[in-house]
Amino acid sequence: MSDSTHHPAPMSPVEQRVAALEALLTERGLVPDGFIEQVTHRYESQTGPMNGAKVVARAWADPEYKMRLLADGTAAIAELGFGGPEGDHMVVVENTSIVHNVIVCTLCSCYPWPVLGLPPAWYKDPPYRARMVREPRALLAEMGCFLTEEVEIRVWDSSAEVRYLVLPQRPPATEGMTEAELAALVTRDSMIGVARL
């Protein structure tokens, strides 16, 4: 979902202050133009989600770990050293060939920071939050995730009490790959459920 598909909500007072501070830092030459956006993007899509990618790779490589992960996501994720605020009650849902899971937070933007890093901007936008509940198949297709009618879509609503992580299907022809190689295949969007691997 691109920002061009809807009008963003007005900036809050905190967001306005942050934008003013970013502009001032850039104007004074303390940070290069675009630097803050690059750092944010890198943490959103690379650094932050690597924790979740390690969890997914371990589940793909270790069937016993996968069973523990699906039974008690919080405890199994903690085995790898990830947890804490925003991740103290995690539920992991598994994608299969006939079931596709996707995460949304309809009330605000509850998100599993310990395993996914910063939430993408679109995750917090009201159109994503509303449409994913009303018309998930259409919205997923707009985001590039095309699912046949035979695939059941399950939408999970994160809250302050529980956050979700999608366990994507392991891609074919990955037998014999190391956990590090498997983790490199996992994307943030696949762990939210808006993409398939």
mmCIF file of all heavy atoms in Angstrom, residues 85-114:
data_model
loop_
_atom_site.group_PDB
_atom_site.id
_atom_site.type_symbol
_atom_site.label_atom_id
_atom_site.label_comp_id
_atom_site.label_asym_id
_atom_site.label_seq_id
_atom_site.Cartn_x
_atom_site.Cartn_y
_atom_site.Cartn_z
ATOM 1 N N PRO A 85 9.114 -5.211 26.666
ATOM 2 C CA PRO A 85 7.947 -4.383 26.339
ATOM 3 C C PRO A 85 7.579 -4.501 24.861
ATOM 4 O O PRO A 85 8.453 -4.587 24.005
ATOM 5 C CB PRO A 85 8.406 -2.964 26.681
ATOM 6 C CG PRO A 85 9.494 -3.153 27.684
ATOM 7 C CD PRO A 85 10.169 -4.449 27.324
ATOM 8 N N GLU A 86 6.308 -4.525 24.580
ATOM 9 C CA GLU A 86 5.745 -4.678 23.241
ATOM 10 C C GLU A 86 5.918 -6.104 22.717
ATOM 11 O O GLU A 86 5.562 -6.381 21.575
ATOM 12 C CB GLU A 86 6.356 -3.684 22.235
ATOM 13 C CG GLU A 86 6.415 -2.253 22.688
ATOM 14 C CD GLU A 86 5.055 -1.654 23.000
ATOM 15 O OE1 GLU A 86 4.080 -1.987 22.315
ATOM 16 O OE2 GLU A 86 4.974 -0.866 23.946
ATOM 17 N N GLY A 87 6.461 -6.983 23.540
ATOM 18 C CA GLY A 87 6.615 -8.367 23.112
ATOM 19 C C GLY A 87 6.452 -9.326 24.270
ATOM 20 O O GLY A 87 6.932 -10.450 24.229
ATOM 21 N N ASP A 88 5.760 -8.864 25.325
ATOM 22 C CA ASP A 88 5.651 -9.707 26.510
ATOM 23 C C ASP A 88 4.487 -10.694 26.455
ATOM 24 O O ASP A 88 4.334 -11.506 27.340
ATOM 25 C CB ASP A 88 5.596 -8.868 27.793
ATOM 26 C CG ASP A 88 4.664 -7.685 27.702
ATOM 27 O OD1 ASP A 88 3.877 -7.624 26.739
ATOM 28 O OD2 ASP A 88 4.734 -6.824 28.577
ATOM 29 N N HIS A 89 3.674 -10.662 25.429
ATOM 30 C CA HIS A 89 2.684 -11.715 25.190
ATOM 31 C C HIS A 89 2.532 -11.888 23.687
ATOM 32 O O HIS A 89 1.752 -11.221 23.038
ATOM 33 C CB HIS A 89 1.333 -11.413 25.837
ATOM 34 C CG HIS A 89 0.382 -12.565 25.732
ATOM 35 N ND1 HIS A 89 -0.956 -12.440 25.901
ATOM 36 C CD2 HIS A 89 0.586 -13.883 25.445
ATOM 37 C CE1 HIS A 89 -1.548 -13.613 25.730
ATOM 38 N NE2 HIS A 89 -0.627 -14.498 25.448
ATOM 39 N N MET A 90 3.322 -12.810 23.155
ATOM 40 C CA MET A 90 3.375 -13.032 21.703
ATOM 41 C C MET A 90 2.645 -14.326 21.339
ATOM 42 O O MET A 90 2.829 -15.352 21.989
ATOM 43 C CB MET A 90 4.824 -13.148 21.239
ATOM 44 C CG MET A 90 5.635 -11.880 21.353
ATOM 45 S SD MET A 90 5.137 -10.616 20.169
ATOM 46 C CE MET A 90 5.313 -11.484 18.628
ATOM 47 N N VAL A 91 1.858 -14.250 20.286
ATOM 48 C CA VAL A 91 1.214 -15.419 19.709
ATOM 49 C C VAL A 91 1.736 -15.540 18.284
ATOM 50 O O VAL A 91 1.743 -14.561 17.527
ATOM 51 C CB VAL A 91 -0.323 -15.275 19.721
ATOM 52 C CG1 VAL A 91 -0.985 -16.408 18.948
ATOM 53 C CG2 VAL A 91 -0.835 -15.220 21.161
ATOM 54 N N VAL A 92 2.182 -16.738 17.919
ATOM 55 C CA VAL A 92 2.705 -16.979 16.577
ATOM 56 C C VAL A 92 1.678 -17.809 15.813
ATOM 57 O O VAL A 92 1.203 -18.829 16.314
ATOM 58 C CB VAL A 92 4.072 -17.686 16.626
ATOM 59 C CG1 VAL A 92 4.584 -17.986 15.219
ATOM 60 C CG2 VAL A 92 5.076 -16.816 17.394
ATOM 61 N N VAL A 93 1.320 -17.337 14.621
ATOM 62 C CA VAL A 93 0.349 -18.028 13.773
ATOM 63 C C VAL A 93 1.065 -18.468 12.491
ATOM 64 O O VAL A 93 1.867 -17.726 11.934
ATOM 65 C CB VAL A 93 -0.868 -17.125 13.472
ATOM 66 C CG1 VAL A 93 -1.691 -16.917 14.739
ATOM 67 C CG2 VAL A 93 -0.458 -15.771 12.905
ATOM 68 N N GLU A 94 0.758 -19.678 12.044
ATOM 69 C CA GLU A 94 1.507 -20.287 10.943
ATOM 70 C C GLU A 94 0.751 -20.233 9.624
ATOM 71 O O GLU A 94 -0.414 -20.644 9.544
ATOM 72 C CB GLU A 94 1.805 -21.749 11.288
ATOM 73 C CG GLU A 94 2.588 -22.480 10.228
ATOM 74 C CD GLU A 94 2.846 -23.934 10.577
ATOM 75 O OE1 GLU A 94 2.185 -24.471 11.485
ATOM 76 O OE2 GLU A 94 3.727 -24.534 9.927
ATOM 77 N N ASN A 95 1.423 -19.753 8.590
ATOM 78 C CA ASN A 95 0.873 -19.817 7.240
ATOM 79 C C ASN A 95 1.079 -21.215 6.678
ATOM 80 O O ASN A 95 2.114 -21.850 6.920
ATOM 81 C CB ASN A 95 1.552 -18.798 6.324
ATOM 82 C CG ASN A 95 0.998 -17.403 6.503
ATOM 83 O OD1 ASN A 95 0.017 -17.196 7.215
ATOM 84 N ND2 ASN A 95 1.620 -16.441 5.849
ATOM 85 N N THR A 96 0.083 -21.685 5.936
ATOM 86 C CA THR A 96 0.161 -22.972 5.246
ATOM 87 C C THR A 96 -0.285 -22.752 3.813
ATOM 88 O O THR A 96 -0.611 -21.630 3.413
ATOM 89 C CB THR A 96 -0.754 -24.014 5.924
ATOM 90 O OG1 THR A 96 -2.120 -23.644 5.700
ATOM 91 C CG2 THR A 96 -0.476 -24.133 7.417
ATOM 92 N N SER A 97 -0.357 -23.817 3.045
ATOM 93 C CA SER A 97 -0.809 -23.679 1.662
ATOM 94 C C SER A 97 -2.284 -23.311 1.578
ATOM 95 O O SER A 97 -2.738 -22.772 0.571
ATOM 96 C CB SER A 97 -0.543 -24.966 0.889
ATOM 97 O OG SER A 97 -1.238 -26.040 1.510
ATOM 98 N N ILE A 98 -3.053 -23.541 2.650
ATOM 99 C CA ILE A 98 -4.490 -23.254 2.600
ATOM 100 C C ILE A 98 -4.937 -22.168 3.582
ATOM 101 O O ILE A 98 -6.088 -21.755 3.561
ATOM 102 C CB ILE A 98 -5.324 -24.535 2.834
ATOM 103 C CG1 ILE A 98 -4.975 -25.177 4.177
ATOM 104 C CG2 ILE A 98 -5.129 -25.522 1.691
ATOM 105 C CD1 ILE A 98 -5.900 -26.303 4.587
ATOM 106 N N VAL A 99 -4.039 -21.695 4.448
ATOM 107 C CA VAL A 99 -4.363 -20.639 5.410
ATOM 108 C C VAL A 99 -3.288 -19.566 5.341
ATOM 109 O O VAL A 99 -2.098 -19.867 5.419
ATOM 110 C CB VAL A 99 -4.465 -21.178 6.855
ATOM 111 C CG1 VAL A 99 -4.656 -20.038 7.849
ATOM 112 C CG2 VAL A 99 -5.591 -22.187 6.983
ATOM 113 N N HIS A 100 -3.745 -18.313 5.194
ATOM 114 C CA HIS A 100 -2.819 -17.182 5.194
ATOM 115 C C HIS A 100 -3.217 -16.240 6.320
ATOM 116 O O HIS A 100 -4.363 -15.801 6.396
ATOM 117 C CB HIS A 100 -2.850 -16.429 3.859
ATOM 118 C CG HIS A 100 -1.864 -15.315 3.803
ATOM 119 N ND1 HIS A 100 -0.538 -15.515 3.453
ATOM 120 C CD2 HIS A 100 -1.981 -14.000 4.093
ATOM 121 C CE1 HIS A 100 0.108 -14.360 3.512
ATOM 122 N NE2 HIS A 100 -0.752 -13.422 3.910
ATOM 123 N N ASN A 101 -2.276 -15.950 7.202
ATOM 124 C CA ASN A 101 -2.510 -15.068 8.343
ATOM 125 C C ASN A 101 -1.947 -13.685 8.067
ATOM 126 O O ASN A 101 -0.905 -13.551 7.425
ATOM 127 C CB ASN A 101 -1.828 -15.635 9.593
ATOM 128 C CG ASN A 101 -2.400 -16.977 9.983
ATOM 129 O OD1 ASN A 101 -3.465 -17.049 10.570
ATOM 130 N ND2 ASN A 101 -1.701 -18.054 9.633
ATOM 131 N N VAL A 102 -2.624 -12.676 8.598
ATOM 132 C CA VAL A 102 -2.153 -11.300 8.452
ATOM 133 C C VAL A 102 -2.469 -10.552 9.744
ATOM 134 O O VAL A 102 -3.463 -10.834 10.405
ATOM 135 C CB VAL A 102 -2.779 -10.614 7.206
ATOM 136 C CG1 VAL A 102 -4.276 -10.476 7.344
ATOM 137 C CG2 VAL A 102 -2.126 -9.264 6.935
ATOM 138 N N ILE A 103 -1.589 -9.616 10.086
ATOM 139 C CA ILE A 103 -1.691 -8.881 11.346
ATOM 140 C C ILE A 103 -2.139 -7.448 11.088
ATOM 141 O O ILE A 103 -1.716 -6.804 10.129
ATOM 142 C CB ILE A 103 -0.314 -8.834 12.058
ATOM 143 C CG1 ILE A 103 0.339 -10.212 12.114
ATOM 144 C CG2 ILE A 103 -0.449 -8.200 13.432
ATOM 145 C CD1 ILE A 103 -0.388 -11.271 12.819
ATOM 146 N N VAL A 104 -2.964 -6.945 11.988
ATOM 147 C CA VAL A 104 -3.403 -5.558 11.949
ATOM 148 C C VAL A 104 -3.648 -5.133 13.389
ATOM 149 O O VAL A 104 -3.781 -5.985 14.279
ATOM 150 C CB VAL A 104 -4.705 -5.424 11.102
ATOM 151 C CG1 VAL A 104 -5.883 -6.088 11.788
ATOM 152 C CG2 VAL A 104 -5.015 -3.979 10.780
ATOM 153 N N CYS A 105 -3.668 -3.856 13.636
ATOM 154 C CA CYS A 105 -4.107 -3.335 14.927
ATOM 155 C C CYS A 105 -5.182 -2.303 14.612
ATOM 156 O O CYS A 105 -4.878 -1.224 14.112
ATOM 157 C CB CYS A 105 -2.972 -2.701 15.719
ATOM 158 S SG CYS A 105 -3.542 -2.044 17.308
ATOM 159 N N THR A 106 -6.432 -2.654 14.864
ATOM 160 C CA THR A 106 -7.537 -1.779 14.460
ATOM 161 C C THR A 106 -7.678 -0.554 15.350
ATOM 162 O O THR A 106 -8.224 0.452 14.918
ATOM 163 C CB THR A 106 -8.870 -2.550 14.456
ATOM 164 O OG1 THR A 106 -9.091 -3.121 15.749
ATOM 165 C CG2 THR A 106 -8.855 -3.630 13.396
ATOM 166 N N LEU A 107 -7.196 -0.614 16.582
ATOM 167 C CA LEU A 107 -7.374 0.507 17.495
ATOM 168 C C LEU A 107 -6.274 1.549 17.400
ATOM 169 O O LEU A 107 -6.503 2.731 17.552
ATOM 170 C CB LEU A 107 -7.472 0.013 18.940
ATOM 171 C CG LEU A 107 -8.704 -0.836 19.249
ATOM 172 C CD1 LEU A 107 -8.661 -1.321 20.685
ATOM 173 C CD2 LEU A 107 -9.970 -0.033 18.993
ATOM 174 N N CYS A 108 -5.045 1.113 17.206
ATOM 175 C CA CYS A 108 -3.929 2.073 17.164
ATOM 176 C C CYS A 108 -2.853 1.501 16.265
ATOM 177 O O CYS A 108 -3.042 1.405 15.074
ATOM 178 C CB CYS A 108 -3.428 2.376 18.576
ATOM 179 S SG CYS A 108 -3.035 0.892 19.520
ATOM 180 N N SER A 109 -1.743 1.087 16.834
ATOM 181 C CA SER A 109 -0.689 0.474 16.018
ATOM 182 C C SER A 109 0.158 -0.458 16.869
ATOM 183 O O SER A 109 1.380 -0.445 16.781
ATOM 184 C CB SER A 109 0.173 1.542 15.353
ATOM 185 O OG SER A 109 0.723 2.406 16.324
ATOM 186 N N CYS A 110 -0.492 -1.278 17.703
ATOM 187 C CA CYS A 110 0.251 -2.255 18.508
ATOM 188 C C CYS A 110 1.042 -3.159 17.568
ATOM 189 O O CYS A 110 0.520 -3.650 16.569
ATOM 190 C CB CYS A 110 -0.707 -3.070 19.369
ATOM 191 S SG CYS A 110 -1.509 -2.080 20.648
ATOM 192 N N TYR A 111 2.282 -3.381 17.905
ATOM 193 C CA TYR A 111 3.218 -4.010 16.977
ATOM 194 C C TYR A 111 4.302 -4.712 17.799
ATOM 195 O O TYR A 111 4.731 -4.189 18.824
ATOM 196 C CB TYR A 111 3.821 -2.887 16.129
ATOM 197 C CG TYR A 111 4.648 -3.292 14.946
ATOM 198 C CD1 TYR A 111 4.055 -3.764 13.780
ATOM 199 C CD2 TYR A 111 6.032 -3.165 14.976
ATOM 200 C CE1 TYR A 111 4.813 -4.089 12.675
ATOM 201 C CE2 TYR A 111 6.802 -3.490 13.869
ATOM 202 C CZ TYR A 111 6.184 -3.952 12.716
ATOM 203 O OH TYR A 111 6.944 -4.280 11.622
ATOM 204 N N PRO A 112 4.779 -5.869 17.376
ATOM 205 C CA PRO A 112 5.788 -6.606 18.149
ATOM 206 C C PRO A 112 7.211 -6.084 17.921
ATOM 207 O O PRO A 112 8.007 -6.682 17.218
ATOM 208 C CB PRO A 112 5.622 -8.039 17.648
ATOM 209 C CG PRO A 112 5.188 -7.870 16.226
ATOM 210 C CD PRO A 112 4.316 -6.636 16.214
ATOM 211 N N TRP A 113 7.533 -4.961 18.532
ATOM 212 C CA TRP A 113 8.835 -4.318 18.355
ATOM 213 C C TRP A 113 10.033 -5.248 18.577
ATOM 214 O O TRP A 113 11.003 -5.172 17.814
ATOM 215 C CB TRP A 113 8.941 -3.112 19.287
ATOM 216 C CG TRP A 113 8.065 -1.960 18.922
ATOM 217 C CD1 TRP A 113 6.705 -1.974 18.806
ATOM 218 C CD2 TRP A 113 8.473 -0.642 18.620
ATOM 219 N NE1 TRP A 113 6.256 -0.731 18.452
ATOM 220 C CE2 TRP A 113 7.317 0.115 18.341
ATOM 221 C CE3 TRP A 113 9.710 -0.008 18.580
ATOM 222 C CZ2 TRP A 113 7.368 1.462 18.013
ATOM 223 C CZ3 TRP A 113 9.750 1.334 18.255
ATOM 224 C CH2 TRP A 113 8.591 2.052 17.969
ATOM 225 N N PRO A 114 10.036 -6.108 19.609
ATOM 226 C CA PRO A 114 11.245 -6.917 19.837
ATOM 227 C C PRO A 114 11.617 -7.829 18.673
ATOM 228 O O PRO A 114 12.778 -8.158 18.499
ATOM 229 C CB PRO A 114 10.897 -7.744 21.076
ATOM 230 C CG PRO A 114 9.859 -6.941 21.787
ATOM 231 C CD PRO A 114 9.055 -6.288 20.692
#
